[in-house]
């Protein structure tokens, strides 16, 4: 019965909440043929939960403003035109101040930064990660998943973020790696089947009834392709990701790029930067621009997966330079073809 209900929601959601006109409105970049060239920056880093590699849970707002400002300036110079901002617990939320870190950005501070980002020609996009592998930032509510109180809190945060960003084009809900082998703390929560889908539809509904198109990480399709293609609304932008330099259809993530394109999903292809894989974003742009229909390839995202602090200034800026170089190469090839 639950699964039938979830399937019914999947069938009706795109028509009721994700109307065609809205999808068309938010899907297309600013001009014909232009792609989104995006970066992901972290205000919060508590999506990493108890992972010691990343220093464990933070209790205070962490980003270094000098690094943040340098990153925004470097994005503008590299013609990055979109910035996903991982908010989580690093805003002084009016609706739920109990989850906010000490010294989090106030509404006024965040709005000032959004104005600066827009002035630099960059479109800011809010992001939460509601995956149970990455929701330690929710504090006590991370242990109330799928309850009435949980839905109330999530709805409040989504609404507040959308208002702060003045009804952005997209909102990213994360939803990656919700598997037992990724959960390293002593408290494990995994939603499966209809429960995972019902919660995803809840987030989608909260966004779309406010006129904002949702994005998610696409790795659910790697492990559950049959369910994914039955249940995932085409209205949800798929941020499929692959963080190494080698692109082979033997890798499920690469096959998923092809499968998503074949099934007509809109894709924001995502790479990452670390010293061992500097060509990740460049190879992502090359592979996807050759294998995904241009109408469904919305653009590309570069990630760093580092806190926004002085220690990681160099790799963050280098990663931004790499997506800038990838954009230049992509556009040079387009001009050559014309």
């Amino acid at each position: 019965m639950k699964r039938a209900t979830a399937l019914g929601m999947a069938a009706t959601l795109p028509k009721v909440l994700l109307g065609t006109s809205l999808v068309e409105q938010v899907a297309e970049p600013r001009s014909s043929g232009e792609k989104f060239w995006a970066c992901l920056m972290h205000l919060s880093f508590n999506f990493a939960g108890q992972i010691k590699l990343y220093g464990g849970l933070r209790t205070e707002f962490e980003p270094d403003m000098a690094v943040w400002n340098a990153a925004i300036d470097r994005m503008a110079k590299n013609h990055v035109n979109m910035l996903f901002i991982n908010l989580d617990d690093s805003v002084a939320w009016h609706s739920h101040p109990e989850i906010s870190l000490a010294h989090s950005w106030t509404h006024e501070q965040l709005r000032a930064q959004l104005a600066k980002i827009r002035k630099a020609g960059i479109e800011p996009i809010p992001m939460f990660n509601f995956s149970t592998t990455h929701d330690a930032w929710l504090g006590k509510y991370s242990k109330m998943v799928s309850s009435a109180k949980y839905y109330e809190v999530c709805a409040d945060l989504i609404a507040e973020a959308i208002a702060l960003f003045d009804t952005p084009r997209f909102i990213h809900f994360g939803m990656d790696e919700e598997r037992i082998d990724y959960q390293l703390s002593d408290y494990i929560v995994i939603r499966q089947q209809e429960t995972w889908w019902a919660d995803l539809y809840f987030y989608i509904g909260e966004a779309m009834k406010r006129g904002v198109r949702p994005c998610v990480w696409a790795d659910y399709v790697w492990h559950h392709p049959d369910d994914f293609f039955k249940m995932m609304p085409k209205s949800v932008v798929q941020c499929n990701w692959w963080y190494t330099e080698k692109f082979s259809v033997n890798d499920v993530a690469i096959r998923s790029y092809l499968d998503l394109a074949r099934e007509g999903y809109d894709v924001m292809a995502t790479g990452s930067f670390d010293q061992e894989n500097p060509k990740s974003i460049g190879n992502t742009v090359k592979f996807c621009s050759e294998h995904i229909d241009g109408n469904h390839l919305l653009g590309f995202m570069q990630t760093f997966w580092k806190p926004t602090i002085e220690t990681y200034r160099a790799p963050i800026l280098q990663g931004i330079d790499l997506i800038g170089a990838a954009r230049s190469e992509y556009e040079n090839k387009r001009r050559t073809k014309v």
Side-chain angles (χ1 to χ4, degrees):
M1 184 177 293
K2 287 182 179 178
R3 186 161 181 77
T5 300
L7 281 166
M9 291 174 67
T12 60
L13 207 73
K15 289 182 281 187
V16 175
L17 294 174
L18 316 183
T20 302
S21 60
L22 179 56
V23 172
E24 290 173 348
Q25 172 188 338
V26 298
E28 293 302 322
R30 300 168 190 173
S31 62
S32 178
E34 184 183 358
K35 301 298 181 190
F36 299 122
W37 298 88
C39 288
L40 167 60
M41 291 286 287
H42 300 281
L43 289 184
S44 173
F45 214 72
N46 275 339
F47 74 90
Q50 303 284 4
I51 301 175
K52 293 181 180 179
L53 173 66
Y54 295 113
L57 286 171
R58 280 78 170 152
T59 58
E60 295 191 7
F61 183 80
E62 184 175 31
D64 185 311
M65 286 307 301
V67 178
W68 175 268
N69 290 333
I72 301 303
D73 290 344
R74 190 67 65 92
M75 287 179 211
K77 290 175 182 176
N78 279 282
H79 306 291
V80 169
N81 58 22
M82 182 169 282
L83 175 60
F84 288 83
I85 304 175
N86 182 202
L87 303 171
D88 292 352
D89 52 11
S90 289
V91 174
W93 300 110
H94 290 181
S95 58
H96 294 283
E98 66 274 15
I99 73 165
S100 301
L101 298 177
H103 313 301
S104 289
W105 274 354
T106 64
H107 279 206
E108 293 73 21
Q109 288 172 311
L110 176 58
R111 283 189 177 278
Q113 290 300 316
L114 297 180
K116 180 178 74 175
I117 290 165
R118 293 184 180 113
K119 188 175 180 180
I122 302 168
E123 187 174 349
I125 302 296
M127 177 182 180
F128 296 106
N129 199 326
F130 289 122
S131 164
T132 60
T133 297
H134 297 305
D135 68 351
W137 61 272
L138 273 168
K140 63 184 179 181
Y141 304 115
S142 68
K143 298 184 179 181
M144 302 181 190
V145 173
S146 304
S147 69
K149 185 63 177 179
Y150 175 84
Y151 294 138
E152 175 190 325
V153 171
C154 292
D156 290 343
L157 293 173
I158 292 167
E160 192 170 344
I162 287 173
L164 279 168
F165 280 67
D166 298 315
T167 311
R169 188 190 307 252
F170 303 118
I171 185 170
H172 201 308
F173 291 136
M175 296 300 285
D176 56 319
E177 301 180 331
E178 193 159 321
R179 298 166 55 198
I180 193 167
D181 48 329
Y182 283 99
Q183 298 201 24
L184 304 180
S185 70
D186 58 356
Y187 188 87
I188 293 172
V189 180
I190 299 170
R191 292 167 294 192
Q192 300 186 81
Q193 300 174 27
E194 66 272 0
T195 301
W196 191 89
W197 285 106
D199 282 8
L200 176 63
Y201 295 155
F202 173 79
Y203 311 135
I204 291 171
E206 291 303 306
M208 297 307 289
K209 71 187 182 185
R210 294 176 173 83
V212 181
R213 192 175 185 192
C215 308
V216 295
W217 300 122
D219 49 281
Y220 192 94
V221 73
W222 305 352
H223 310 291
H224 311 283
D226 292 340
D227 274 359
F228 180 96
F229 291 121
K230 282 181 190 173
M231 308 282 283
M232 183 64 75
K234 295 284 198 318
S235 326
V236 180
V237 176
Q238 300 301 313
C239 300
N240 198 44
W241 49 275
W242 183 245
Y243 296 159
T244 65
E245 296 183 349
K246 180 182 176 183
F247 276 68
S248 167
V249 292
N250 293 325
D251 293 306
V252 65
I254 306 307
R255 290 199 305 276
S256 294
Y257 274 124
L258 305 180
D259 294 342
L260 289 165
R262 183 192 67 242
E263 296 295 330
Y265 286 88
D266 290 341
V267 173
M268 185 82 73
T270 305
S272 190
F273 172 68
D274 62 54
Q275 295 296 337
E276 295 180 358
N277 295 286
K279 296 180 181 179
S280 168
I281 189 64
N283 288 352
T284 296
V285 172
K286 182 177 186 298
F287 180 88
C288 292
S289 60
E290 292 174 354
H291 292 91
I292 300 179
D293 183 306
N295 292 327
H296 290 295
L297 181 60
L298 299 187
F300 306 93
M301 188 193 312
Q302 172 74 307
T303 64
F304 322 111
W305 302 114
K306 298 290 189 292
T308 308
I309 58 177
E310 188 62 42
T311 302
Y312 299 111
R313 175 193 287 259
I316 288 171
L317 297 183
Q318 189 174 350
I320 295 167
D321 288 342
L322 286 168
I323 192 172
R327 177 174 184 167
S328 294
E329 184 174 351
Y330 170 87
E331 292 182 345
N332 286 338
K333 286 181 178 179
R334 283 187 63 210
R335 283 192 289 269
T336 300
K337 288 180 180 178
V338 172

